[in-house]
Structures are given as structure tokens and as C-alpha cells.
Amino acid sequence: PAEKMRRIQERRKKKKRMKRKATVDVLFVNMGSRHTEACIVRFTFRGQSEDAAVRVLGCGDSPGAGGHYADLALAEQMAIAFSKENPEVAGEFRRSQRSMKKIL
């Protein structure tokens, strides 16, 4: 009888686990050279299976924000930092296209 009760309790626990839902929100970002897109997607897992319900919560895009623009902003910050550390060559460095291209 004790063994039977233990098995019944284990089955009940297993059923409770299978009824649980797990929800995960994921941000997907696609950054091209001149365009960025982003979507938030909700995955809801039911029970122990790997199947999931998928729901797109929202999407947005920005045609003026892309990897190229991010690279330019980083290069500008690097040039400013270099100029502060090397004031004797700062003016020449900024005028030289070759030096600026090396940062990119």
C-alpha cells in the first residue's frame, strides 16, 4: 500500500509539471549596413514537449540606423580619444584621410 501511494503521488507530480507553462520573450535584431529591424517574439512552451506557441509582440525598423553609421560613430570616438592622448599630431591626424580610414 505504501509503494502504491508513492507511485500515485509521483504521477500527480508529473501531471502538475506537464500542465505548467513557460513563457520566454526574445528580442531579434537585424542590423544591416544602413538599416536596422527589431522584433519581440513570445514563445510559450506547454508541458514537457518541445512544441511552442509563437506570438510576435511587436516589430520596428529604423532606416537611418545601421552598422555603417555605428562604425562611423565609433571611429569618431576613437579619433577624439587619440587626439586627446596625442595632441602634438591631432590636427595632422584629423586631416589625413589615410589615418581616418585606418580607424574604420
Side-chain angles (χ1 to χ4, degrees), residues 50-66:
E50 294 180 10
D51 296 334
V54 180
R55 181 175 176 207
V56 178
L57 300 177
C59 287
D61 67 306
S62 178

Side-chain angles (χ1 to χ4, degrees), residues 3-4 6-7 10 20 22 28 30-31 41-42 49 62 65 69 72-73 87-89 92 101-102:
E3 181 65 28
K4 188 175 182 179
R6 187 181 62 76
R7 277 191 250 137
E10 284 179 16
R20 290 185 193 154
F28 291 94
N30 176 19
M31 181 180 272
V41 179
R42 175 168 290 158
S49 70
S62 178
Y69 300 112
L72 291 176
E88 64 278 354
V89 294
E92 184 181 324
K101 284 181 181 179
K102 283 184 177 183

Side-chain angles (χ1 to χ4, degrees), residues 7 9 14 21 24 27 30 33 35 39 45 51 62 64 67 69 72 78-80 86 88-89 92-93 95 101-102:
R7 277 191 250 137
Q9 288 174 344
K14 189 176 180 180
K21 287 184 180 180
V24 178
L27 172 65
N30 176 19
S33 63
H35 186 249
C39 289
F45 299 91
D51 296 334
S62 178
Y69 300 112
L72 291 176
M78 290 171 69
I80 290 170
N86 304 288
E88 64 278 354
V89 294
E92 184 181 324
F93 172 77
R95 286 189 298 269
K101 284 181 181 179
K102 283 184 177 183

